[in-house]
Every structure is written in structure tokens, then in C-alpha cells.
DNA sequence: TTGAAAGCGCTACCAA
DNA sequence: TTGGTAGCGCTTTCAA
């Protein structure tokens, strides 16, 4: 059987349930039989105005019935400001450490009544990205890594951001800075290896893009730690693949190294396995140390020495943001927030 | 240990340049000596209107001079819609697999001229969260995991979202669904172990909160694979700590299992180490298989068998979103998108 | 206690 | 080719 649609009657309204438009506070007001002002008072619990209980209830019921949800853009347009804290979404896979930090931060900012939004900035760079962020008129912007210059900071502040905080290797003119100096990590590792009597130290630098922000300072930190001693530092390029590690391991003996700082625990695991596969004894022939203090290091044999990294608590950063928002005129603060300590296990 | 933020420097307070207020298109118009309409035409390259080259230049220069950045909220308020795609920010550390998926997705949506925003939803649950998202009036919402009910979908659609897509275990009324059925993963693993002749199969279920969404279906999948056979399934609770693994390993022999599906590669590594430490031979006495096909599995000895998981391409999802946005009346699509295949190595 | 109305920044329609 | 202007949804001052 074929069902044929037959037009029964022609009403001024469309036959299909009209694409119901989104209810506004005016709709709520109409349904409740009050003015839009009253709706606003009720739904925002405005304390400066007393609304009678019956009216209040009528408004609330009308709002619920219509499924009314306030329009954030309209609200913040009217208010002239928002409580949005914007950060660019990370573009590289991020470890459990940093994930937890972000979570804490979101939670803490949430408690202070801010809304955290991670903006998917792919392909945008530098000031272009800053402009895109500025269009959202966030009250504060948190930028991990490098990549934001003084220009970008100026754009953001010029468009009303009351606080710009960078989390990265160096402070940026005009912005608060949480200095996460990864050179400290390398410095720790280098010092440790030296103390253990090692003098020919390799440092793994990942070939993967986007990691230079961390790897270069870590390398530099090792250099600084061993500067002025009789120890040497050798940069070792390594991709996160078994083949790459095997190639490196194959020429290990001719490199003549007695220790290696492997960028982090994962690269350390990769390299250590390759070394063991070609018969290099760890730690006797070559000491290995990683970084990040991941669980996996404890599960390796020999157990992996590592550099434990301590990030600031999300709560602390949230408070910094809040302080800065409340007093945007205050001079930018700069904090060193990256703690690094060696966890000595069996591989070094 | 708690690391305390140390303030390094406080740069002297700069002479306050009068709290310059944020420039609007009206300011640009004034400076360029044209109307606001013209400014809008120029800056948006409105093709329906031809603006003379000199005027165009004057406007652009004025905009640059003032550091003008358009106000996204005002724009989308006026337009009646935005191009914002919202997704809740993940609250649990997310592996490289999923990270890459998100990145691809952001990139692909960016190419289609959408803006992806991850909303920091901590502490908000279910419909409460949906309402918070709805306030931003996103054109589309992508929700990983469970937690969004039909109510929530209704709230979002009722507030103008033209597409709601869930990425999770089951479809939700009114929303498009990308079914990521983790039971498939367990089913794969269970089938593999059975084929290898194992009959007493343990399944690790992480104690960590927030993982039930994945762990329960994976367990269920193993059950389904072995249902109707002579094999047994034993649920094994395990926290991601060495102690927990050691306790489990200590009573391993009395459990009498000959195989274990360890939830994922990381838990597999943890358990395998503990088993080896108490002398249980892998795979002879107990076969071990993980999931996610992480690099670390290849580095273990014996090499870890695993279930390789295939996620949809970000591009595909982006296209689904775009299609749905363009035609919101279309019936919700449901796709099975989680591919699972066993990678057989040496541990099983 | 409630309502009328202005105006946040922007775009698009209609006139000039 | 350009300008005037209405109005998106909301809050808030001022009046009633």
C-alpha cells in the first residue's frame, strides 16, 4: 500500500510542527503574565528587588514548561564581561600529570564561578590564534607552552582580558608567568648522573614535532649541569619507534657513552629495551634515567631511575587567576612552579 | 610533598595608560569617517556590496590602528546562530589514541569553518551539564561516554543545537550515535584466549573511578565470547598500584586461572610484572592480553598480545556533524565505529 | 512589587 | 557606493 499525502486544509501555519524556535525570556514573561524584567529578577534571584512568592512561582513554572535556558552571549553582551577562562586545547597527547593538573584547575576555577573553555586552535599560530581567542572576550586566558608573544598578549588585553597567564619556559611582557623551566629537569638528571660517576652522557631528543618546547630545555639543563666539569654531553636524536631505537642501540658502543638521560620515561623504556636487546648492560655499562616518574618506570627491570616533576596545584593557579582578574592593574607576577627531584632506582 | 609557588619578581607598576576601553566597530567607523555598516561590509568582505578601494583601505587601517577584534557574542546574537561545536572536556587522562582522534576532529571541523570548544564540566552532571552547555548555544554538541540522557538531548535541541552526537556505548533518543561498543574489545580478547586453548579466564576491572564506562562492557564482551563454552570468567579487581597487583599475584595460583584479559596494556604491564615477580610464567602458566596496542606492549618481554582498537577518523565524524547541521530534520544516524582486532604477540 | 525602555556590539535590510 | 536603523536576548535603571 502506498500512502499518499493529501492536503486536507490550508492553515496559515505550516503542516509540520513548526521548527519551534528557542524560547526567550520574553516568552517566559508572556506565559507567566509578567514583564521580562520580572523574569530576569526571579531567575537571577536579584536580591535588590523583592518579588512576591506567587509571581516567583509562576515565572519559574513558565520557565520550566518552556524549557527556557538563558542565552550566555546575550547576557555577557549586556553585562559587558563574562566569566570565561580560555585556554588553547593541547595539541599533543598529554600525560597523566598534566591531565590531572588541568582537571584540578578546572575544578578550582569552577568553584570560583569561572567557566573554563578549551579552545580548539589547530593551524592557527601566534597572533592569529590570539585574535581568535580574543573574539570570545574571555575574562582570562591561560596559555601553556611558548607561542604567545607580547603582541598576542596585547591583543588579548586590548580586547578586555583582565588576566593573561603563560605556563611555559619564559615570561612574556605584560602577562603573568608560571615558569615551567624544563631545564631544571635536565639539570637534575645531569647532576645525578655526574654524581654517580658518569662522564660521557647522552641526552635523547625526540624527533617528534611539538616536543621541542620540552626537549630543548631539558637538554640545555643537562649541559648546564655538566658545564665546567670533565663530562661530555652528546645529543641523541630518537623517534618513538622500535626501529629508531634499534638503530641507535646498534651504534651504542661506538658512541662510547656511559649514561643517558632519555627525555622521559617512555623514551627511556624504548631505549633501554633496545640497549638490552643488543646486550648493553644497564646500569653497569650505561646508566639510564628518564623523567615524569610514570608507573611504568617502576615496572621495568632494572627499575628505572627518573626525575619526578611537581606541577603547581590547580588551586594555586586558580587563585592567581582570580587575583589577577580582580585587580588587573597589578603588576604581572612571575612564579617558578616546576619542581624536579631525582628518584633513584636501579637503572643508574 | 607540596611544592610552593615562589614569587620571583614583581615588575614595577607601569604608569597606567588610561584604562582604554575595548574598541568597537563604531570606533573604527568614527576613525575611518564612515558608518558602522560600511565597517561591517569591509571587515566581512560582504560580497553583496561593493565598497570602493580607498574606503576599504581606510577602514582596514583604522581597524588595525585601534586593534579592533570583533565581538563573537554580539555577532552570533545578531546572526541567531554560531558555528561553535561544543564537547565536554575529558575528565580522565586520555590516551594517545583518543587524543589524536580529538585533534583530527578539531582540524577537520576547523576546515569546515566550525570552532571547537571543550567545555570544562567538572562536578556538573547529566541534565545540569546539558543546560550549562546549552547556554552557549552551540550549533552542535559532541558528547563522549554515557551520562547524557534523552532529557539532556532535548534540552540541547530545544536551545537550538542542530546536531547532538554521542560517542558511547549506546544510542540516545534523538541524538546521532557513534557507537563505541567496548564489549567488542572484550569479545575479541575472550575469543582469542579461547582459541589459544585457555578455559579459565580472568578479566581485570580497574578500581579507579570513571573507567567503568569502558571496563564493564569489556568484561561483558569476554562473558559473551565465552558464553556457552566450557570456559569460565573471573572478574579481578585491580587498582593501578604495585601493591594491588602484588596482592592479586600472591593469590594467583589459588585462583587457578590460565589466562587474563587485563583491561588495557597498562594494567596488563602492571599485572604481568607482578605475576613474573612471584614466578608465574607468562604465557605458559597464564596467558596475558591487554588492549589499546600501545608502544609499551611491544617493549615488554614476553611481548604483550593486545587488542588493537580502531577509532573513526576525525574527518568522518566532522562530516557527520556537518551533514547533521545542514539538515537537522534528518533522522539520527547510528554508526558502529569501534573496530577491534587481536594483535597476537608472545604473551598469549 | 512590577513594568517600560535603553542599550550592550553587531549585521542586514532599505534608502539615498 | 554608503548611511540610517532595527533588532538579536538580556539586565538594570527609573517610574509607576
Amino acid at each position: 500500500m502506498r500512502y499518499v499525502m493529501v492536503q486536507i486544509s490550508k492553515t496559515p501555519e505550516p503542516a509540520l510542527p513548526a521548527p519551534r524556535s528557542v524560547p526567550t525570556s520574553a516568552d517566559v514573561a508572556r506565559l507567566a503574565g509578567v514583564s521580562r524584567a520580572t523574569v530576569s529578577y526571579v531567575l537571577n534571584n536579584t536580591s535588590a528587588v523583592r518579588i512576591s512568592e506567587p509571581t516567583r512561582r509562576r515565572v519559574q513554572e513558565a520557565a520550566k514548561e518552556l524549557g527556557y535556558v538563558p542565552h550566555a552571549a546575550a547576557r555577557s553582551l549586556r553585562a559587558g564581561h563574562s566569566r570565561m577562562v580560555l585556554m588553547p586545547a593541547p595539541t599533543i597527547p598529554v600525560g597523566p600529570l598534566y591531565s590531572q593538573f588541568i582537571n584540578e584547575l578546572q575544578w578550582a576555577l569552577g568553584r570560583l564561578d569561572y567557566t573554563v573553555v578549551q579552545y580548539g586552535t589547530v593551524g592557527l599560530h601566534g597572533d592569529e590564534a590570539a585574535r581568535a581567542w580574543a573574539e570570545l572576550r574571555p575574562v582570562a586566558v591561560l596559555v601553556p607552552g611558548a607561542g604567545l608573544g607580547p603582541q598576542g598578549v596585547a591583543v588579548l588585553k586590548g580586547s578586555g582580558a583582565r588576566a593573561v597567564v603563560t605556563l611555559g619556559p619564559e615570561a612574556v611582557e605584560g602577562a603573568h608567568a608560571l615558569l615551567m623551566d624544563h631545564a631544571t629537569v635536565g639539570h637534575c638528571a645531569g647532576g645525578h648522573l655526574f654524581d654517580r660517576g658518569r662522564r660521557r652522557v647522552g641526552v635523547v631528543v625526540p624527533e617528534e614535532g611539538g616536543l621541542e618546547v620540552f626537549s630543548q630545555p631539558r637538554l640545555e639543563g643537562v649541559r648546564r649541569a655538566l658545564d665546567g666539569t670533565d663530562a661530555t654531553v652528546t645529543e641523541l636524536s630518537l623517534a618513538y619507534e622500535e626501529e629508531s631505537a634499534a638503530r641507535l642501540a646498534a651504534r651504542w658502543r661506538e658512541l662510547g657513552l656511559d649514561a643517558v638521560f632519555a627525555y622521559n620515561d617512555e623514551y627511556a623504556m624504548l631505549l633501554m629495551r633496545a640497549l638490552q636487546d643488543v646486550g648493553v648492560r644497564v646500569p653497569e655499562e650505561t646508566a639510564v634515567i628518564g623523567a615524569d616518574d610514570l608507573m611504568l618506570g617502576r615496572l621495568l627491570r632494572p627499575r628505572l631511575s627518573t626525575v619526578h616533576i611537581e606541577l603547581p596545584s590547580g588551586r594555586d593557579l586558580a587563585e592567581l587567576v582570580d587575583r589577577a582578574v580582580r585587580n588587573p592593574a597589578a603588576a604581572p607576577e612571575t612564579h617558578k612552579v616546576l619542581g624536579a627531584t631525582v628518584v633513584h632506582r636501579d637503572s643508574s
Side-chain angles (χ1 to χ4, degrees), chain A:
Chain A
M1 188 183 77
R2 216 173 104 84
Y3 186 87
V4 179
M5 294 212 316
V6 176
Q7 187 159 354
I8 302 293
S9 69
K10 189 157 188 168
T11 63
E13 298 208 340
L16 288 176
R20 194 173 53 87
S21 69
V22 182
T24 72
S25 72
D27 297 319
V28 177
R30 207 170 303 125
L31 180 57
V34 300
S35 75
R36 291 154 64 210
T38 305
V39 170
S40 178
Y41 294 144
V42 171
L43 297 183
N44 295 309
N45 269 314
T46 307
S47 52
V49 177
R50 299 210 55 77
I51 302 286
S52 70
E53 204 43 54
T55 304
R56 185 174 294 272
R57 208 183 335 271
R58 282 220 312 288
V59 169
Q60 278 158 347
E61 275 165 10
K64 177 178 292 179
E65 175 167 342
L66 293 177
Y68 171 72
V69 176
H71 192 307
R75 174 179 289 173
S76 66
L77 181 59
R78 164 67 219 224
H81 61 258
S82 74
R83 303 276 297 170
M84 180 194 300
V85 175
L86 182 146
M87 26 189 330
T91 59
I92 52 171
V94 82
L97 206 75
Y98 191 72
S99 286
Q100 201 205 326
F101 170 63
I102 300 273
N103 262 4
E104 262 187 48
L105 176 63
Q106 286 189 357
W107 184 85
L109 283 172
R111 302 239 352 151
L112 294 171
D113 200 36
Y114 293 95
T115 292
V116 181
V117 150
Q118 292 178 248
Y119 190 99
T121 313
V122 251
L124 275 61
H125 290 299
D127 299 346
E128 202 180 348
R131 209 171 330 265
W133 305 337
E135 292 193 1
L136 296 189
R137 297 290 191 272
V139 68
V141 181
L142 306 184
V143 193
L148 184 72
Q151 299 262 17
V153 175
V155 167
L156 290 168
K157 294 212 143 177
S159 73
R162 292 167 67 92
V164 179
V165 183
T166 61
L167 294 76
E170 49 190 19
V172 178
E173 177 73 32
H176 299 265
L178 260 46
L179 284 184
M180 315 215 311
D181 182 8
H182 283 257
T184 309
V185 178
H187 196 273
C188 258
H192 170 75
L193 293 174
F194 187 86
D195 291 346
R196 304 289 302 168
R198 310 291 171 152
R199 290 299 178 268
R200 299 183 54 78
V201 175
V203 177
V204 167
V205 177
E207 284 175 16
E208 279 70 26
L211 264 40
E212 307 84 2
V213 205
F214 308 119
S215 60
Q216 284 306 322
R218 287 184 186 191
L219 169 59
E220 205 44 51
V222 177
R223 286 226 165 86
R224 281 219 312 268
L226 301 184
D227 206 31
T229 72
D230 58 338
T232 64
V233 173
T234 306
E235 183 175 341
L236 304 168
S237 185
L238 175 63
Y240 196 58
E241 299 157 5
E242 283 183 283
E243 283 177 32
S244 178
R247 275 198 303 275
L248 178 54
R251 60 191 185 94
W252 195 257
R253 291 239 160 75
E254 73 195 52
L255 284 167
L257 303 174
D258 60 10
V260 59
F261 168 50
Y263 174 65
N264 74 7
D265 288 349
E266 293 184 306
Y267 282 82
M269 180 180 184
L270 174 63
L271 178 57
M272 199 159 87
R273 166 53 59 206
L275 290 178
Q276 289 174 328
D277 283 352
V278 297
V280 173
R281 281 165 302 135
V282 176
E284 294 81 1
E285 280 184 78
T286 298
V288 177
I289 184 169
D292 289 358
D293 194 12
L294 300 184
M295 168 68 87
L296 65 81
R298 276 175 283 216
L299 304 178
L300 298 179
R301 296 297 180 267
R303 292 170 208 268
L304 182 66
S305 295
T306 191
V307 179
H308 177 88
I309 295 177
E310 184 99 24
L311 290 182
S313 86
R315 219 170 39 72
D316 288 346
L317 176 49
E319 275 160 16
L320 166 61
V321 169
D322 188 46
R323 224 180 309 136
V325 167
R326 299 173 107 95
N327 182 8
E333 302 177 21
T334 297
H335 298 274
K336 284 193 95 156
V337 295
L338 191 143
T341 49
V342 167
V343 178
H344 181 202
R345 299 204 185 100
D346 308 328
S347 68
S348 65

